[in-house]
Amino acid sequence: MGPKIRTCLLVAALCLTVSLPAVGEQPAPTIGQQREAVLFWPQAQREAQFRQMGKLFPSDRAEHGTRVHELPPGKPLAMPGQDASAWLTGYMDQHHLAGVMVLQRGRIRLQRYALGFGPEQRWESFSVAKSVTSTLLGIALQRGDIHSMDDTLGTYIPELRDSAYAKVTVQQLLTMTSGVHWNEDYADAKSDVAQMYLGACVDGQAHVLSYLRKQPRQWPAGAHWNYNTAETDLLGILVQRATHRSLATYLSQTIWKPYGMAADAYWIKDECDGKDTGGSGLSATLGDYARLGQFMLDGGRIAGKPVIAEAWLQGALRRQTSVDEPDRGYGYLWWTDSDGSYAAIGIFGQMVYVDPARQLVIAQVGAWPHATSDALVAARREFVAAVKRAMDAEREESAH
């Protein structure tokens, strides 16, 4: 993974964090400051608190329904040349993972929990939420809440009509090609991403809305990809304005209840406007992350009916812009691979991976010792590749 992608994933997580105690007579940290602090938690705190984010921060609940989309057991996945259980235990222990679940054709082929985490508990997804917010936009497009991806942002967010975002289209926001200036350098304390949550609330507007309104244009809209964490929060504002619902409520009404998620999810709210933050803050069970991947693998269909606009599906899961690696790309807030697979990825090891060719879904949650690194990303990709090799070996054996 190249430095640009590492920065993207790291900064994407700035959108989520939690509290450090006040020192001496210093004023209590704001919610925004507390969220930023999550990146710097020690390992023990990450492992303890990533499962409690919905309690630590103001959050909205995405209710599940009475019907559950079952995930029946399948044939245990065998790893050629090694003990599958020991192999999985070693992978999870080394990388501080709390849960891994592998589905094939909707059946559980492999699953394991660790770190005292269990099936009934929720885990923070970090930037996986970006892909969920994008998917909710695809649903809003299908339902007519959003008319077209060619609509300009000013149509839905009047506060942007006198800003560089006024004529940026929904599609350009989805592909991070707004062309508006943004400094995503986490190492620079004065960069935009390091400042966007720290200011005082202005006129009840979300942090990112009041911050982005001041940003100048740097490139023509649609001409340059520049990863921008704040813009995914902006997308969440757009969806909530267009649907007149919180992201959590819309998620509940359109996916969580009708598809049959097994437990409630929680979505962290911005402290200034009380709305859910589109770029991060979603917590759910490992099983429901796997169901989310299965929902995508099913083509965004529930009871045989499409709930996501075809125009969104055609763009979201295919490369719209290139990244640092030749076999990878970026769709509509989903990471894409050249073999047709795609993934929602968050820092500290979160992932929902979908491979249509193998009818495969992999959900992973954890507390990596670093937000991201070349070694950690390479280990995750090798884990995915090993699962694929095992499935391919099965297929070859059954063909003989």
Side-chain angles (χ1 to χ4, degrees):
M1 176 170 286
K4 180 181 290 184
I5 298 179
R6 289 202 308 273
T7 300
C8 291
L9 294 178
L10 175 61
V11 171
L14 279 175
C15 304
L16 339 165
T17 13
V18 184
S19 98
L20 294 176
V23 178
E25 298 301 320
Q26 294 179 352
T30 66
I31 297 298
Q33 291 168 339
Q34 293 179 54
R35 294 184 74 175
E36 299 262 356
V38 171
L39 288 176
F40 308 104
W41 280 354
Q43 185 65 33
Q45 190 173 8
R46 283 195 292 271
E47 294 180 9
Q49 304 287 50
F50 282 179
R51 70 194 75 193
Q52 301 190 75
M53 300 292 270
K55 297 178 181 178
L56 295 171
F57 292 104
S59 302
D60 283 327
R61 180 163 61 109
E63 296 181 357
H64 72 295
T66 56
R67 185 187 67 84
V68 174
H69 183 108
E70 297 295 341
L71 299 176
K75 178 183 177 183
L77 185 65
M79 304 304 297
Q82 55 189 317
D83 179 85
S85 179
W87 169 77
L88 182 60
T89 297
Y91 169 67
M92 294 180 68
D93 287 351
Q94 182 179 358
H95 301 293
H96 302 270
L97 299 181
V100 170
M101 184 177 292
V102 175
L103 307 181
Q104 188 178 34
R105 298 183 180 89
R107 292 181 174 271
I108 299 174
R109 300 294 311 276
L110 195 70
Q111 81 172 308
R112 180 69 58 81
Y113 291 88
L115 304 181
F117 181 64
E120 307 301 320
Q121 294 177 295
R122 300 166 189 84
W123 198 269
E124 171 61 46
S125 69
F126 292 94
S127 291
V128 168
K130 288 177 171 56
S131 303
V132 177
T133 299
S134 177
T135 303
L136 292 179
L137 185 138
I139 293 173
L141 191 66
Q142 174 76 359
R143 293 161 67 105
D145 295 319
I146 293 172
H147 304 297
S148 168
M149 285 190 289
D150 293 326
D151 287 348
T152 60
L153 302 190
T155 303
Y156 301 94
I157 309 175
E159 296 94 327
L160 295 177
R161 289 175 183 169
D162 60 351
S163 75
Y165 283 96
K167 300 301 182 182
V168 171
T169 67
V170 173
Q171 185 173 25
Q172 289 163 351
L173 194 66
L174 284 169
T175 54
M176 293 193 179
T177 58
S178 70
V180 177
H181 172 79
W182 184 259
N183 179 354
E184 188 98 11
D185 185 359
Y186 175 69
D188 180 1
K190 295 185 178 180
S191 69
D192 296 308
V193 74
Q195 294 290 318
M196 65 180 185
Y197 282 122
L198 298 183
C201 298
V202 178
D203 299 330
Q205 297 177 4
H207 273 303
V208 295
L209 185 54
S210 57
Y211 193 94
L212 290 176
R213 286 180 61 190
K214 305 172 184 177
Q215 297 297 102
R217 175 159 300 283
Q218 186 169 1
W219 304 279
H224 183 86
W225 182 67
N226 185 42
Y227 197 96
N228 184 328
T229 294
E231 287 186 352
T232 45
D233 276 6
L234 193 62
L235 186 74
I237 293 171
L238 189 155
V239 172
Q240 289 171 102
R241 295 278 184 92
T243 63
H244 306 289
R245 298 171 180 88
S246 70
L247 293 178
T249 297
Y250 202 57
L251 178 67
S252 173
Q253 293 175 347
T254 61
I255 299 177
W256 234 243
K257 285 183 177 179
Y259 192 73
M261 301 308 187
D264 294 345
Y266 286 86
W267 208 315
I268 295 174
K269 300 188 288 187
D270 182 85
E271 65 183 310
C272 295
D273 70 347
K275 304 298 184 184
D276 304 336
T277 54
S280 62
L282 177 66
S283 292
T285 66
L286 177 66
D288 283 344
Y289 287 129
R291 289 180 178 89
L292 178 66
Q294 189 66 40
F295 167 72
M296 297 301 298
L297 184 60
D298 292 343
R301 293 176 175 269
I302 297 177
K305 297 181 179 180
V307 300
I308 306 177
E310 183 64 24
W312 183 91
L313 282 169
Q314 291 300 318
L317 311 179
R318 293 172 173 80
R319 181 167 64 182
Q320 300 297 318
T321 187
S322 298
V323 294
D324 284 353
E325 298 177 67
D327 61 337
R328 303 201 68 203
Y330 201 65
Y332 295 162
L333 306 184
W334 286 82
W335 297 91
T336 66
D337 286 337
S338 58
D339 67 354
S341 60
Y342 52 91
I345 296 173
I347 58 163
F348 294 111
Q350 325 317 318
M351 178 182 69
V352 177
Y353 181 91
V354 182
D355 179 4
R358 295 174 178 81
Q359 291 292 291
L360 165 67
V361 172
I362 304 175
Q364 172 180 296
V365 296
W368 279 354
H370 307 286
T372 189
S373 73
D374 285 343
L376 289 165
V377 170
R380 180 175 60 198
R381 289 178 70 82
E382 173 53 30
F383 170 72
V384 171
V387 170
K388 289 183 174 185
R389 288 194 298 268
M391 291 183 172
D392 292 346
E394 282 184 344
R395 184 174 57 196
E396 291 175 7
E397 182 178 347
S398 64
H400 286 53

